[in-house]
Amino acid sequence: MTIMRKTSANARAAAKDATHDRIVGVAARAIRRSGYAGTGVADIMKEAGLTHGAFYSHFPSREAMLAEAAAAACAESVANAAEVAASAPPDEALDAMLAAYLSKKHVEQLETGCPLAALGSETSRQAPEVRRIVTRHIKAAADLIARQSADWGQQSAHERALMTLSTMVGAVVLARAVDEPALSDSLRKAALKHLTSSGH
Amino acid sequence: MTIMRKTSANARAAAKDATHDRIVGVAARAIRRSGYAGTGVADIMKEAGLTHGAFYSHFPSREAMLAEAAAAACAESVANAAEVAASAPPDEALDAMLAAYLSKKHVEQLETGCPLAALGSETSRQAPEVRRIVTRHIKAAADLIARQSADWGQQSAHERALMTLSTMVGAVVLARAVDEPALSDSLRKAALKHLTSSGH
DNA sequence: GCATGCGTATGATGACCATCATGCGAAAGA
DNA sequence: TCTTTCGCATGATGGTCATCATACGCATGC
């Protein structure tokens, strides 16, 4: 009758939790690769090394699983950005984040990159739960940016952070959409130049 | 034996062309509302007042139709922006475009708005034909922006136009994704303020 | 006016989808 | 060791999808 959550003393439950996390991890990459609409239950379970039948012992519905996957992708993405910022000199932290976000590598690796860029335009069509999670993520990302540029005063920093985030996301979205590598590079570099130099 | 294109003397063919255009028009709105992946053949035909069977006498495949729909949406969007620019005093043209693009109305009307904002992150997963069309559209939009700000010299204007476009698209994508109206407004206004004031 | 052509409708096909009922097999607890 | 539990697999269900074969009915051209 004991109610156990998260870490269970029970080895069985621990194994189930591990499987659950593995499915979520696979799904977090799948949604960025194929989009919310393009990600099916069977695909994910197969990629996780399971059969489709086991799915509903881990999630109440496909929708719930998309929400968990979105949360995982968002958490991973913000943590990654925070680490980039932390491992650079404080006065270069913002530039380091911008360089990483607007790098060719990030544009190419959509599957492990920022979910805002990979799923941005699909988000408005998702369930409320997903939108709630993404909204929290956007706030966290904007705060992280604003914190790296405290020299502009509170109000202005927050406003500027929202604009910076918009430019970052838009540039990566367009750089990925385009089918000409040269234009893709130009989009990245134009955003990078104007975001770093205009901060002078 | 006479080969007729576009406008046919034949009334039958003209009616078919009209139907074709009606389907494309419906589809151009449907893809922005529901995404590429969320737009089915049957949905579109029903919305056009036809049954699904007639579809394949108008298009060789669903994919071909998505490409035509994307082209129509892009053309409509660029024409609309050009009109906004043309009906304003030359030195206020860019600001007028920005105000319209970053308006609350545009954020709310995704079905008739900019396809880059409505479909941006889905584009990288589409057929080459769609990506080609979108690439052309991005170039046209950037050119239109650059033309309204010739005072910065050729090279700089083009680079700045790419950045401006990225910010516009990113801001609208995020403003739509978010589920808090206040944050949505902040995203729009932050982009608007920084794009218009930083221009001098 | 009659026959022909062609745009559209009906209906079928097979693939894929989310969801769930049931059964197996291994680990947990006694 | 015996029984109970439960994570996972098998397989079925009903729905939706893109695609196509066929049939109808009206407008066109003789």
Side-chain angles (χ1 to χ4, degrees), chain B residues 15-74:
Chain B
K16 177 167 186 178
D17 285 356
T19 300
H20 183 102
D21 290 350
R22 183 158 43 91
I23 297 173
V24 171
V26 165
R29 287 191 289 113
I31 56 175
R32 283 174 282 187
R33 184 184 351 112
S34 313
Y36 290 111
T39 301
V41 169
D43 305 327
I44 290 168
M45 294 303 278
K46 180 179 287 184
E47 200 178 329
L50 300 171
T51 57
H52 64 275
F55 181 83
Y56 288 88
S57 67
H58 287 284
F59 304 94
S61 68
R62 173 176 172 275
E63 225 178 55
M65 177 257 185
L66 291 179
E68 274 200 53
C74 287

Side-chain angles (χ1 to χ4, degrees), chain A residues 90-172:
Chain A
D91 60 326
E92 294 171 22
L94 182 57
D95 281 1
M97 283 176 51
L98 289 167
Y101 197 97
L102 292 166
S103 68
K104 187 168 195 168
K105 194 173 165 191
H106 184 211
V107 168
E108 284 166 354
Q109 298 181 347
L110 91 164
E111 172 168 312
T112 54
C114 176
L116 296 179
L119 299 164
S121 59
E122 241 181 317
T123 304
S124 62
R125 292 187 282 272
Q126 297 311 303
E129 175 70 5
V130 171
R131 297 186 64 194
R132 240 196 57 234
I133 289 164
V134 171
T135 301
R136 259 214 314 261
H137 176 226
I138 289 174
K139 283 179 177 173
D143 280 356
L144 183 60
I145 294 170
R147 237 177 291 134
Q148 314 306 324
S149 45
D151 40 317
W152 296 312
Q154 295 283 48
Q155 172 121 7
S156 174
H158 182 251
E159 193 179 64
R160 191 179 189 94
L162 290 180
M163 183 283 265
T164 302
L165 183 62
S166 294
T167 308
M168 291 165 69
V169 172
V172 170

Side-chain angles (χ1 to χ4, degrees), chain A residues 40-54:
Chain A
V41 169
D43 305 327
I44 290 167
M45 293 304 277
K46 181 179 287 183
E47 202 179 329
L50 300 170
T51 58
H52 65 276

Side-chain angles (χ1 to χ4, degrees), chain A residues 11-12 40-42 52-53 56 61-62:
Chain A
R12 295 277 292 277
V41 169
H52 65 276
Y56 288 88
S61 69
R62 171 177 174 275

